Amino acid sequence: MSLINTKKMFEKAYKGGYSIGAFNISDLEQLQGVLRACKEKNSAVIIQASKSAIEYAGINTLVAMVKAASDEIGVDCALHLDHGPNFEMAKKCIDAGFTSVMIDGSHLDYEENVAITKEVVEYAHSKNVSVEAELGVLAGTEDDVTSDVHKFTDPDQAVDFVNRTGVDSLAIAIGTSHGAFKFKGEAKLRFDILESIQAKLPNYPIVLHGASAVDQEIVATANKFGGDIAGAKGIPVEMLRKASSMAVCKINMDTDLRLAMTASMRKFMAENPSQFDPRKYLGAGRDAIQAVVSEKIDIVLGSKDSL
Ligand code: G3H
Ligand code: 13P
Ligand code: ZN
């Protein structure tokens, strides 16, 4: 087993009408939960870490841990930098052993986004590493940058961007957003934009960020056992499945894993007040992640038996 880039995964996913799940991790239990679910479902997967996750865990610890767990559990996976803020961070991850990086220039001026993406693509491709970029702005907070409104991706600009940068996949803004509070009213995604991009860039893999569904039962469990998470709302799973049957080949989910882990650990601790072995409550968190990822593979991604 080894870490792989995303090229073949995306080719197969596009042809097969499914998506690869990209799950954020920053610790051992999250990683094992994700990989165990993928082993159970024989599913391809992308393990991703943000800048803050890398700072939390340590870059070399993360790479070694992902390699070892992939080997031990028996699932080949890609290790991807999520929302890489600059060339230096992307280079650092590539040099440390990541097999895919995102350079997120979505908040920059268009020409600056093209330039920084090209720079990363050139370095990454010389090391056989895949690159994801982003065009358009998701409402909400992306790392340190906050936007109140969506700036939907312009399909013609997407074509120009891909042609000029040579980037391997493109994250687009069609109405998803990061975190647990995505819609106040009815959920709405701009499938017309996705359709137009797909028509203008045939066979090209598109990425959807901010794609957690925010299961209300899981939120209720967290709240029942001492949590205080009000008004959380995610993307309906039918919309995500529709996107994954189209040009979307990578779907990013972090919030749903955080909610599931937190809810199950709160429940475990409330029901086992005398227990203080971390393996017991962290183990409950790990099992919850496995269950959520397993469900995502079935009802959102359609990636069962894609390994
Ligand atoms: O899109 C952002 C991811 O959910 C990562 O979040 O920066 O808190 O690790 P983070
Ligand atoms: P969620 O917050 O919807 O899980 O999105 C995560 C994400 O896009 C990571 O890049
Ligand atoms: Zn994201």
Side-chain angles (χ1 to χ4, degrees):
M1 297 293 150
S2 57
L3 300 183
I4 50 177
N5 70 23
T6 58
K7 194 173 168 47
K8 288 215 172 70
M9 277 189 207
F10 288 164
E11 279 168 11
K12 277 177 75 181
Y14 200 105
K15 282 199 196 94
Y18 62 88
S19 280
I20 310 292
F23 301 102
N24 291 69
I25 64 116
S26 47
D27 65 47
L28 174 71
E29 284 74 19
Q30 294 170 327
L31 173 63
Q32 289 179 326
V34 173
L35 290 178
R36 285 180 184 187
C38 294
K39 181 69 185 172
E40 176 197 328
K41 297 286 178 185
N42 197 31
S43 173
V45 67
I46 297 168
I47 300 291
Q48 60 186 13
S50 67
K51 175 173 169 274
S52 55
I54 291 168
E55 282 161 6
Y56 175 84
I59 190 164
N60 294 322
T61 304
L62 257 181
V63 173
M65 185 169 81
V66 175
K67 273 188 188 158
S70 146
D71 197 23
E72 197 153 65
I73 295 169
V75 176
D76 274 340
C77 64
L79 175 57
H80 173 80
L81 166 66
D82 190 27
H83 294 283
N86 50 41
F87 175 80
E88 291 69 33
M89 182 83 204
K91 180 175 185 300
K92 198 172 160 192
C93 287
I94 293 166
D95 293 347
F98 280 55
T99 53
S100 176
V101 291
M102 176 185 191
I103 176 70
D104 185 356
S106 59
H107 299 278
L108 302 172
D109 165 84
Y110 180 67
E111 288 301 327
E112 283 178 66
N113 191 359
V114 169
I116 194 175
T117 302
K118 261 172 100 166
E119 194 186 1
V120 172
V121 165
E122 201 172 304
Y123 187 71
H125 284 182
S126 75
K127 309 277 179 191
N128 200 26
V129 167
S130 311
V131 183
E132 171 186 330
E134 182 169 327
L135 200 55
V137 179
L138 275 60
T141 302
E142 291 190 278
D143 277 312
D144 303 331
V145 187
T146 300
S147 169
D148 292 338
V149 284
H150 300 287
K151 268 192 224 147
F152 296 117
T153 308
D154 174 336
D156 289 319
Q157 206 174 49
V159 175
D160 182 67
F161 188 88
V162 167
N163 288 339
R164 283 172 65 193
T165 59
V167 74
D168 304 293
S169 64
L170 186 68
I172 60 167
I174 56 167
T176 62
S177 60
H178 291 106
F181 310 94
K182 299 187 194 297
F183 299 100
K184 289 217 173 70
E186 204 189 319
K188 193 174 180 315
L189 293 190
R190 292 286 306 271
F191 280 101
D192 57 318
I193 296 178
L194 177 58
E195 266 164 23
S196 170
I197 293 173
Q198 179 161 11
K200 287 170 193 278
L201 286 171
N203 299 316
Y204 189 80
I206 297 300
V207 180
L208 211 55
H209 282 242
S212 278
V214 186
D215 185 322
Q216 295 302 313
E217 256 183 59
I218 290 178
V219 174
T221 302
N223 287 341
K224 181 175 171 193
F225 294 101
D228 181 12
I229 306 164
K233 194 165 177 182
I235 315 286
V237 290
E238 318 78 63
M239 289 189 185
L240 295 165
R241 186 66 194 100
K242 180 175 170 185
S244 68
S245 71
M246 298 169 67
V248 171
C249 291
K250 172 174 181 271
I251 296 194
N252 285 16
M253 288 163 280
D254 184 2
T255 298
D256 279 346
L257 278 63
R258 294 181 182 197
L259 286 169
M261 188 174 199
T262 303
S264 75
M265 286 171 65
R266 280 192 178 283
K267 182 170 188 287
F268 180 88
M269 288 198 194
E271 289 175 348
N272 300 275
S274 60
Q275 184 60 255
F276 57 90
D277 179 345
R279 289 169 297 189
K280 297 289 191 291
Y281 54 82
L282 290 171
R286 178 171 67 184
D287 291 348
I289 298 242
Q290 182 175 348
V292 160
V293 171
S294 184
E295 189 183 62
K296 296 290 181 196
I297 291 168
D298 286 340
I299 66 174
V300 168
L301 302 161
S303 63
K304 191 168 183 284
D305 291 327
S306 58
L307 248 189

